[in-house]
Amino acid sequence: MARAPLPEDTPVIAYAKVCKTYGEGATRFQALTDVDLEIRRGEFVAIMGPSGSGKSTAMNIMGCLDTLTSGSYRFFGTPVESLSQDQCALLRRNYIGFVFQGFNLLRRTSAQENVELPLVYRGQRPVERAQLAQAALAEVGLKGWEHHTSAELSGGQQQRVAIARAIVTEPALLLADEPTGNLDTHRSDEIMQLLVRLNQDRGITVVMVTHETDMAAYADRILHFVDGRLVSDTPTDGIRSLAQNSGGQ
Ligand SMILES: Nc1ncnc2c1ncn2[C@@H]1O[C@H](COP(=O)(O)OP(=O)(O)OP(=O)(O)O)[C@@H](O)[C@H]1O
Ligand SMILES: [Mg+2]
Protein backbone atom coordinates (compact mmCIF):
# COMPACT_ATOMS: atom_id res chain seq x y z
CA MET A 1 0.00 0.00 0.00
CA ALA A 2 3.06 2.23 0.09
CA ARG A 3 2.66 5.31 -2.06
CA ALA A 4 5.56 6.90 -3.83
CA PRO A 5 6.34 10.36 -2.38
CA LEU A 6 5.21 13.12 -4.73
CA PRO A 7 7.69 15.67 -6.06
CA GLU A 8 7.29 18.99 -4.19
CA ASP A 9 7.96 21.45 -7.00
CA THR A 10 6.27 19.71 -9.90
CA PRO A 11 2.77 20.93 -10.84
CA VAL A 12 -0.03 18.63 -9.73
CA ILE A 13 -1.65 19.08 -13.13
CA ALA A 14 0.02 20.22 -16.35
CA TYR A 15 -1.99 20.27 -19.56
CA ALA A 16 -0.23 21.00 -22.85
CA LYS A 17 -2.46 21.51 -25.88
CA VAL A 18 -5.06 19.08 -24.56
CA CYS A 19 -7.79 18.25 -27.08
CA LYS A 20 -10.76 15.94 -26.59
CA THR A 21 -13.01 14.76 -29.39
CA TYR A 22 -16.10 12.62 -28.83
CA GLY A 23 -17.70 10.47 -31.55
CA GLU A 24 -16.84 10.02 -35.22
CA GLY A 25 -17.96 11.42 -38.57
CA ALA A 26 -21.19 13.42 -38.44
CA THR A 27 -21.49 13.02 -34.66
CA ARG A 28 -17.90 14.11 -34.03
CA PHE A 29 -17.70 16.79 -31.37
CA GLN A 30 -14.64 18.62 -30.14
CA ALA A 31 -15.19 19.12 -26.40
CA LEU A 32 -11.74 20.58 -25.62
CA THR A 33 -9.37 22.50 -27.89
CA ASP A 34 -5.70 23.22 -27.15
CA VAL A 35 -6.05 23.63 -23.40
CA ASP A 36 -2.83 24.67 -21.66
CA LEU A 37 -2.93 24.96 -17.90
CA GLU A 38 -0.94 24.32 -14.78
CA ILE A 39 -2.23 23.74 -11.25
CA ARG A 40 0.31 23.74 -8.46
CA ARG A 41 0.35 22.03 -5.10
CA GLY A 42 -1.91 23.64 -2.50
CA GLU A 43 -3.98 25.69 -4.95
CA PHE A 44 -7.77 25.92 -4.84
CA VAL A 45 -8.99 26.38 -8.40
CA ALA A 46 -12.54 26.89 -9.66
CA ILE A 47 -13.58 25.99 -13.21
CA MET A 48 -16.46 28.00 -14.65
CA GLY A 49 -18.17 28.35 -18.01
CA PRO A 50 -21.49 27.79 -19.77
CA SER A 51 -23.13 24.39 -19.97
CA GLY A 52 -21.36 22.23 -22.56
CA SER A 53 -18.16 24.31 -22.46
CA GLY A 54 -16.03 21.31 -21.47
CA LYS A 55 -15.69 21.78 -17.70
CA SER A 56 -16.54 18.19 -16.73
CA THR A 57 -14.52 16.85 -19.64
CA ALA A 58 -11.46 18.80 -18.45
CA MET A 59 -12.03 17.56 -14.90
CA ASN A 60 -12.62 13.93 -15.90
CA ILE A 61 -9.33 13.92 -17.78
CA MET A 62 -7.60 15.36 -14.67
CA GLY A 63 -9.06 12.48 -12.66
CA CYS A 64 -8.06 9.84 -15.24
CA LEU A 65 -11.75 9.03 -15.68
CA ASP A 66 -11.45 9.95 -19.36
CA THR A 67 -8.60 10.08 -21.85
CA LEU A 68 -7.47 12.95 -24.03
CA THR A 69 -7.43 12.75 -27.83
CA SER A 70 -4.23 14.73 -28.36
CA GLY A 71 -1.81 16.85 -26.37
CA SER A 72 -0.36 15.82 -23.05
CA TYR A 73 -1.42 15.61 -19.42
CA ARG A 74 1.21 15.26 -16.72
CA PHE A 75 0.10 14.41 -13.19
CA PHE A 76 2.95 15.30 -10.81
CA GLY A 77 5.23 15.07 -13.83
CA THR A 78 4.04 11.65 -15.02
CA PRO A 79 2.58 11.60 -18.54
CA VAL A 80 -0.83 10.01 -17.94
CA GLU A 81 -1.09 8.93 -21.61
CA SER A 82 1.74 6.49 -20.94
CA LEU A 83 -0.10 4.70 -18.10
CA SER A 84 -2.00 1.43 -18.51
CA GLN A 85 -5.62 1.20 -17.32
CA ASP A 86 -4.47 -0.57 -14.15
CA GLN A 87 -1.88 2.12 -13.46
CA CYS A 88 -4.57 4.81 -13.97
CA ALA A 89 -6.81 2.99 -11.47
CA LEU A 90 -3.94 2.94 -8.95
CA LEU A 91 -3.23 6.60 -9.54
CA ARG A 92 -6.89 7.44 -8.83
CA ARG A 93 -7.02 5.21 -5.77
CA ASN A 94 -3.79 6.55 -4.25
CA TYR A 95 -3.77 10.23 -5.09
CA ILE A 96 -7.21 11.55 -6.11
CA GLY A 97 -10.51 12.03 -4.28
CA PHE A 98 -13.76 12.71 -6.16
CA VAL A 99 -16.89 14.59 -5.14
CA PHE A 100 -19.90 14.85 -7.45
CA GLN A 101 -23.08 16.91 -7.57
CA GLY A 102 -25.30 13.90 -6.87
CA PHE A 103 -23.21 12.66 -3.88
CA ASN A 104 -23.11 9.08 -5.33
CA LEU A 105 -23.53 7.32 -1.98
CA LEU A 106 -24.99 3.87 -1.38
CA ARG A 107 -28.37 4.84 0.08
CA ARG A 108 -29.18 1.94 2.39
CA THR A 109 -25.62 1.78 3.67
CA SER A 110 -24.36 3.60 6.75
CA ALA A 111 -22.28 6.76 6.48
CA GLN A 112 -19.32 4.89 7.95
CA GLU A 113 -19.56 2.01 5.47
CA ASN A 114 -19.78 4.48 2.59
CA VAL A 115 -16.60 6.18 3.79
CA GLU A 116 -14.84 2.85 4.33
CA LEU A 117 -15.43 1.75 0.74
CA PRO A 118 -12.23 3.19 -0.83
CA LEU A 119 -10.27 1.53 1.98
CA VAL A 120 -11.91 -1.82 1.19
CA TYR A 121 -10.60 -1.44 -2.37
CA ARG A 122 -7.18 -0.77 -0.89
CA GLY A 123 -7.34 -3.98 1.12
CA GLN A 124 -7.09 -2.21 4.48
CA ARG A 125 -7.99 -4.19 7.64
CA PRO A 126 -11.50 -3.70 9.11
CA VAL A 127 -10.33 -2.19 12.40
CA GLU A 128 -8.15 0.39 10.63
CA ARG A 129 -10.92 1.09 8.12
CA ALA A 130 -13.39 1.85 10.90
CA GLN A 131 -10.94 4.15 12.70
CA LEU A 132 -10.02 6.08 9.55
CA ALA A 133 -13.66 6.40 8.45
CA GLN A 134 -14.72 7.67 11.88
CA ALA A 135 -11.89 10.23 11.86
CA ALA A 136 -12.86 11.42 8.35
CA LEU A 137 -16.52 11.75 9.37
CA ALA A 138 -15.49 13.72 12.46
CA GLU A 139 -13.38 15.97 10.25
CA VAL A 140 -16.41 16.88 8.11
CA GLY A 141 -18.54 17.54 11.21
CA LEU A 142 -20.48 14.25 11.26
CA LYS A 143 -19.36 12.73 14.52
CA GLY A 144 -22.34 10.82 15.91
CA TRP A 145 -23.84 10.21 12.44
CA GLU A 146 -21.66 7.19 11.56
CA HIS A 147 -24.46 4.63 11.67
CA HIS A 148 -27.15 6.59 9.88
CA THR A 149 -27.84 5.47 6.33
CA SER A 150 -27.42 8.12 3.65
CA ALA A 151 -31.19 7.98 3.03
CA GLU A 152 -31.60 9.36 6.57
CA LEU A 153 -29.29 12.33 5.99
CA SER A 154 -29.97 15.79 4.51
CA GLY A 155 -28.38 16.78 1.20
CA GLY A 156 -25.70 18.82 2.96
CA GLN A 157 -24.91 15.92 5.27
CA GLN A 158 -24.78 13.50 2.34
CA GLN A 159 -22.28 15.74 0.58
CA ARG A 160 -20.21 15.77 3.79
CA VAL A 161 -20.20 11.96 3.78
CA ALA A 162 -19.09 12.05 0.14
CA ILE A 163 -16.28 14.47 1.07
CA ALA A 164 -15.25 12.21 3.98
CA ARG A 165 -15.15 9.29 1.51
CA ALA A 166 -13.01 11.37 -0.84
CA ILE A 167 -10.47 12.38 1.85
CA VAL A 168 -10.27 9.14 3.85
CA THR A 169 -7.48 7.95 1.53
CA GLU A 170 -5.53 11.21 2.10
CA PRO A 171 -5.50 12.25 -1.55
CA ALA A 172 -3.13 14.90 -2.89
CA LEU A 173 -5.86 16.17 -5.22
CA LEU A 174 -9.58 16.63 -4.64
CA LEU A 175 -11.77 16.98 -7.72
CA ALA A 176 -15.29 18.28 -7.18
CA ASP A 177 -17.78 18.59 -10.06
CA GLU A 178 -20.53 21.01 -9.00
CA PRO A 179 -20.38 19.87 -5.36
CA THR A 180 -23.00 22.42 -4.31
CA GLY A 181 -25.23 22.04 -7.37
CA ASN A 182 -27.98 20.24 -5.40
CA LEU A 183 -27.77 22.36 -2.25
CA ASP A 184 -29.34 25.60 -1.02
CA THR A 185 -27.15 28.66 -0.43
CA HIS A 186 -26.64 28.06 3.29
CA ARG A 187 -25.58 24.42 2.84
CA SER A 188 -23.47 25.39 -0.16
CA ASP A 189 -21.52 27.90 1.92
CA GLU A 190 -20.94 25.26 4.59
CA ILE A 191 -19.60 22.81 2.02
CA MET A 192 -17.35 25.50 0.54
CA GLN A 193 -15.97 26.39 3.97
CA LEU A 194 -15.22 22.72 4.50
CA LEU A 195 -13.37 22.50 1.17
CA VAL A 196 -11.37 25.65 2.01
CA ARG A 197 -10.42 24.14 5.37
CA LEU A 198 -9.28 20.89 3.77
CA ASN A 199 -7.26 22.93 1.29
CA GLN A 200 -5.67 25.19 3.90
CA ASP A 201 -5.21 22.81 6.82
CA ARG A 202 -4.52 19.56 5.01
CA GLY A 203 -2.81 21.08 1.99
CA ILE A 204 -5.06 19.17 -0.41
CA THR A 205 -5.07 20.71 -3.87
CA VAL A 206 -8.71 21.35 -4.82
CA VAL A 207 -10.18 21.74 -8.30
CA MET A 208 -13.90 22.47 -8.38
CA VAL A 209 -16.37 22.98 -11.21
CA THR A 210 -19.15 25.42 -10.41
CA HIS A 211 -21.79 27.52 -12.16
CA GLU A 212 -22.06 29.88 -9.20
CA THR A 213 -19.87 32.98 -8.93
CA ASP A 214 -20.42 33.06 -5.15
CA MET A 215 -18.94 29.58 -4.81
CA ALA A 216 -16.06 30.27 -7.20
CA ALA A 217 -15.12 33.22 -4.96
CA TYR A 218 -13.92 30.70 -2.36
CA ALA A 219 -11.21 29.55 -4.75
CA ASP A 220 -7.98 31.45 -5.24
CA ARG A 221 -8.10 31.21 -9.01
CA ILE A 222 -10.84 30.88 -11.62
CA LEU A 223 -10.40 29.14 -14.97
CA HIS A 224 -13.10 30.09 -17.45
CA PHE A 225 -14.01 27.77 -20.34
CA VAL A 226 -16.02 28.71 -23.43
CA ASP A 227 -16.63 26.27 -26.30
CA GLY A 228 -13.93 23.90 -25.10
CA ARG A 229 -11.25 26.58 -24.81
CA LEU A 230 -9.69 28.04 -21.71
CA VAL A 231 -10.40 31.73 -22.23
CA SER A 232 -9.29 33.21 -18.92
CA ASP A 233 -7.30 32.33 -15.84
CA THR A 234 -7.91 34.89 -13.10
CA PRO A 235 -6.81 35.10 -9.46
CA THR A 236 -9.48 35.96 -6.89
CA ASP A 237 -8.98 37.80 -3.65
CA GLY A 238 -12.43 37.31 -2.21
CA ILE A 239 -13.82 35.30 0.65
CA ARG A 240 -10.78 33.08 1.02
CA SER A 241 -8.41 35.95 1.72
CA LEU A 242 -10.96 37.43 4.15
CA ALA A 243 -10.99 34.11 5.99
CA GLN A 244 -7.20 34.04 6.05
CA ASN A 245 -7.02 37.57 7.43
CA SER A 246 -9.58 37.03 10.15
CA GLY A 247 -7.03 35.60 12.55
CA GLY A 248 -7.55 31.84 12.41
CA GLN A 249 -10.99 31.50 14.04
N1 LIG B 1 -19.34 10.79 -23.59
C1 LIG B 1 -19.65 11.77 -24.45
N2 LIG B 1 -19.99 11.51 -25.71
C2 LIG B 1 -20.26 12.49 -26.59
N3 LIG B 1 -20.25 13.80 -26.30
C3 LIG B 1 -19.94 14.13 -25.04
C4 LIG B 1 -19.62 13.15 -24.05
N4 LIG B 1 -19.34 13.79 -22.90
C5 LIG B 1 -19.48 15.10 -23.14
N5 LIG B 1 -19.83 15.31 -24.43
C6 LIG B 1 -20.06 16.61 -25.06
O1 LIG B 1 -18.93 17.44 -24.82
C7 LIG B 1 -19.34 18.78 -24.52
C8 LIG B 1 -18.73 19.20 -23.21
O2 LIG B 1 -19.35 18.45 -22.19
P1 LIG B 1 -19.04 18.66 -20.65
O3 LIG B 1 -19.81 17.63 -19.91
O4 LIG B 1 -17.59 18.71 -20.44
O5 LIG B 1 -19.66 20.11 -20.41
P2 LIG B 1 -19.81 20.95 -19.06
O6 LIG B 1 -19.10 22.24 -19.29
O7 LIG B 1 -19.41 20.12 -17.92
O8 LIG B 1 -21.38 21.23 -19.04
P3 LIG B 1 -22.41 21.29 -17.80
O9 LIG B 1 -22.23 22.63 -17.19
O10 LIG B 1 -23.76 21.16 -18.45
O11 LIG B 1 -22.11 20.16 -16.87
C9 LIG B 1 -20.87 18.77 -24.52
O12 LIG B 1 -21.32 19.29 -25.75
C10 LIG B 1 -21.23 17.32 -24.40
O13 LIG B 1 -22.44 17.03 -25.08
MG1 LIG C 1 -20.43 19.27 -16.28
Side-chain angles (χ1 to χ4, degrees):
M1 225 175 329
R3 292 188 282 181
L6 295 166
E8 277 294 333
D9 295 331
T10 313
V12 181
I13 290 164
Y15 273 16
K17 298 226 163 304
V18 166
C19 295
K20 175 67 184 181
T21 307
Y22 289 113
E24 306 252 318
T27 63
R28 189 174 180 280
F29 184 84
Q30 182 137 2
L32 292 178
T33 305
D34 290 340
V35 177
D36 290 318
L37 63 86
E38 221 176 73
I39 295 174
R40 305 196 72 85
R41 226 173 176 169
E43 282 195 287
F44 188 142
V45 176
I47 299 180
M48 299 196 78
S51 188
S53 58
K55 304 181 297 296
S56 294
T57 304
M59 177 162 279
N60 290 342
I61 292 172
M62 290 175 189
C64 301
L65 296 170
D66 203 349
T67 54
L68 46 75
T69 310
S70 67
S72 112
Y73 167 30
R74 285 174 182 267
F75 178 81
F76 279 101
T78 299
V80 172
E81 309 83 85
S82 69
L83 301 179
S84 67
Q85 278 199 356
D86 285 352
Q87 286 172 318
C88 273
L90 273 177
L91 186 153
R92 281 196 300 271
R93 198 178 295 168
N94 282 328
Y95 300 112
I96 305 178
F98 295 93
V99 177
F100 300 98
Q101 178 174 0
F103 320 136
N104 295 11
L105 300 174
L106 302 173
R107 285 188 65 72
R108 288 172 206 280
T109 305
S110 73
Q112 183 171 322
E113 286 169 303
N114 270 287
V115 177
E116 281 188 31
L117 211 54
L119 304 174
V120 174
Y121 294 136
R122 270 198 187 172
Q124 209 135 6
R125 296 211 325 269
V127 179
E128 289 168 356
R129 283 197 323 244
Q131 281 169 354
L132 291 168
Q134 284 163 13
L137 283 166
E139 188 157 4
V140 300
L142 286 180
K143 194 168 171 44
W145 294 87
E146 295 85 354
H147 302 296
H148 289 256
T149 66
S150 27
E152 294 166 351
L153 301 178
S154 72
Q157 288 174 319
Q158 289 182 55
Q159 193 59 303
R160 283 172 188 275
V161 174
I163 292 171
R165 182 184 54 187
I167 61 166
V168 75
T169 54
E170 301 201 355
L173 172 65
L174 185 66
L175 297 175
D177 196 345
E178 302 195 41
T180 62
N182 286 359
L183 303 176
D184 62 37
T185 310
H186 178 63
R187 304 262 180 262
S188 296
D189 280 319
E190 287 179 352
I191 291 296
M192 292 311 306
Q193 283 157 14
L194 174 57
L195 293 179
V196 168
R197 190 157 55 71
L198 293 171
N199 172 249
Q200 290 180 346
D201 297 353
R202 287 252 225 143
I204 301 175
T205 305
V206 180
V207 183
M208 171 190 72
V209 170
T210 183
H211 279 281
E212 296 158 273
T213 317
D214 290 354
M215 301 305 137
Y218 282 95
D220 44 26
R221 193 176 147 201
I222 301 177
L223 306 177
H224 204 93
F225 282 76
V226 175
D227 291 338
R229 290 180 189 271
L230 177 61
V231 296
S232 69
D233 182 344
T234 325
T236 67
D237 53 5
I239 293 169
R240 184 185 156 91
S241 58
L242 285 178
Q244 273 170 339
N245 293 336
S246 66
Q249 303 168 28

